[in-house]
Amino acid sequence: ASPCGASSSPESPGPAPAPPLAAPPAEPAMPQPLWTHHSFTSLSRSDLDHEPAAADRDLGMPGSAAEGGGVGAPPTASDQVDAAPVIPGQPFMPAAVPPADDPLAALGAAGNVLGDRLHRALEDVLGNGRDLGSAGAGRDDPTAWTSSLQGILEANLELMPEVRFRLGDLRGRCITEMEFHLPVDILSPHPLSEALEHAPAVKAIPGGTAWARGLSEWTFPGFTGFLRGFIDLIFELQGRWYVADYKSNRLDAYSRPRLDRAMLESNYLLQARLYLVALHRHLKANLSGYDPAQHLGGVAYLFVRGFPSQGGWFEAPSRETLARLDALFAIPAIQSIPPAPSGPPPVGPLFET
């Protein structure tokens, strides 16, 4: 009994302790890389002045003036004509005197700005049908631009024996700045390197095999989605279709061996093959009875500063190499996307019956 005579009772229990907070559930591992867009520029990391998915324009390389400033900018080290660095497996080539009739010489310092303006001007003439005066209007020196464009458009070019043309003759019957999106299942540096290492045309260039093997050391992560790009020029000659890309790089020479070096140094050799795959896909989808052996002509890189006597680089397609690269750009797998629900839509505030 209590001192006051009242009966005793047990004390009331307090509130139960809260359970410990559980860690958030771990996010499930992605079954494949995230879908994204890449371009040749973002893969090669050769042009830091452009966004990853931007059009590829005269990617800078050591020893060329494509790294330089814009038109009218003060001369920089990259504006000087210089011999390119030696690539393993390639013989050293002493500096040569650049051509005196460089059609771009009067337009100012070399660089990405000049390259972009040149592309737009050629698109205006060849794709939009503008005359030379209109295409040069509004430039820093319209007279110089008109003269430069005329020299480029009237140069006699030869892709191979019996296949000759002038850019000016393609006006109104070509495709300019065609955008493409190549689907990518999973693309990473190693299979890209493997697809090119044993290509006969790559092996034929001094240093080509070492260059192709070096692609496996690129740092872009494997990705799924699309490879995006813009092709400067697509045209047809004698029943065959060709890709062409303009380059305003200032080199120390424009002979075929020097252009081979430039194609490796700036990774244009890869860019050329990607563009050829895009043309192959385009023709396959749009040309009735398409046969690559009959209709696919090849790819030309036009280093216009070497015009009119030099500066043209051309390669006919290798069916084996084309097939290897084409296989890398398979339709992306979509098994990870859940199927759409079946049956009638749920009834709720947004679905009144």
Side-chain angles (χ1 to χ4, degrees):
S2 66
C4 299
S7 62
S8 62
S9 61
E11 295 182 2
S12 300
L21 294 176
E27 294 185 3
M30 293 295 295
Q32 61 187 30
L34 290 173
W35 280 49
T36 185
H37 278 75
H38 277 274
S39 70
F40 162 73
T41 300
S42 62
L43 298 188
S44 67
R45 300 164 292 125
S46 296
D47 187 356
L48 302 181
D49 291 332
H50 286 80
E51 297 178 355
D56 301 315
R57 289 283 184 269
D58 296 330
L59 308 181
M61 66 182 185
S64 82
E67 298 171 326
V71 174
T76 65
S78 60
D79 288 322
Q80 308 305 318
V81 177
D82 195 4
V86 174
I87 291 180
Q90 286 201 340
F92 171 75
M93 295 181 64
V97 178
D101 50 356
D102 174 1
L104 302 185
L107 300 184
N112 291 327
V113 173
L114 176 60
D116 284 340
R117 290 180 178 179
L118 176 65
H119 280 78
R120 293 192 187 102
L122 289 172
E123 180 185 9
D124 273 348
V125 174
L126 297 178
N128 301 330
R130 299 180 68 183
D131 58 58
L132 291 180
S134 299
R139 310 292 181 184
D140 299 334
D141 187 340
T143 301
W145 269 97
T146 299
S147 177
S148 295
L149 291 173
Q150 186 172 7
I152 293 170
L153 294 169
E154 294 184 356
N156 291 308
L157 307 175
E158 181 178 84
L159 299 179
M160 60 180 67
E162 308 304 324
V163 182
R164 301 179 179 87
F165 74 105
R166 298 186 310 167
L167 285 173
D169 296 335
L170 303 178
R171 183 185 302 189
R173 57 186 190 92
C174 58
I175 303 172
T176 57
E177 298 297 334
M178 187 188 83
E179 182 178 4
F180 66 84
H181 295 260
L182 284 176
V184 175
D185 190 354
I186 298 179
L187 183 65
S188 58
H190 184 69
L192 192 60
S193 169
E194 256 188 353
L196 295 172
E197 181 179 346
H198 303 292
V202 173
K203 294 169 68 175
I205 300 176
T209 300
W211 166 81
R213 289 174 180 167
L215 298 182
S216 64
E217 300 176 2
W218 284 10
T219 58
F220 71 87
F223 72 95
T224 294
F226 293 91
L227 187 73
R228 175 180 181 237
F230 295 82
I231 298 176
D232 291 347
L233 185 67
I234 294 175
F235 59 96
E236 180 267 334
L237 285 176
Q238 302 175 16
R240 293 181 179 271
W241 290 82
Y242 299 87
V243 168
D245 199 269
Y246 320 120
K247 297 300 178 189
S248 60
N249 306 58
R250 178 184 289 162
L251 305 178
D252 55 319
Y254 294 90
S255 62
R256 177 59 189 244
R258 182 62 184 91
L259 297 185
D260 282 341
R261 288 170 61 87
M263 295 297 290
L264 295 183
E265 291 156 0
S266 283
N267 301 306
Y268 293 152
L269 206 58
L270 171 60
Q271 184 187 41
R273 281 156 174 74
L274 297 179
Y275 287 2
L276 200 61
V277 171
L279 175 60
H280 167 66
R281 292 283 184 90
H282 179 72
L283 294 176
K284 188 176 181 180
N286 294 281
L287 184 62
S288 178
Y290 170 66
D291 177 6
Q294 178 182 351
H295 299 113
L296 192 60
V299 56
Y301 270 56
L302 306 177
F303 292 80
V304 298
R305 289 184 182 273
F307 285 11
S309 58
Q310 292 183 315
W313 184 95
F314 174 74
E315 183 180 272
S318 160
R319 297 191 67 175
E320 180 182 352
T321 305
L322 182 65
R324 283 176 175 266
L325 281 174
D326 190 56
L328 293 181
F329 297 94
I331 301 300
I334 58 173
Q335 289 84 350
S336 60
I337 300 178
S342 58
V347 177
L350 298 180
F351 297 92
E352 299 296 342
T353 56

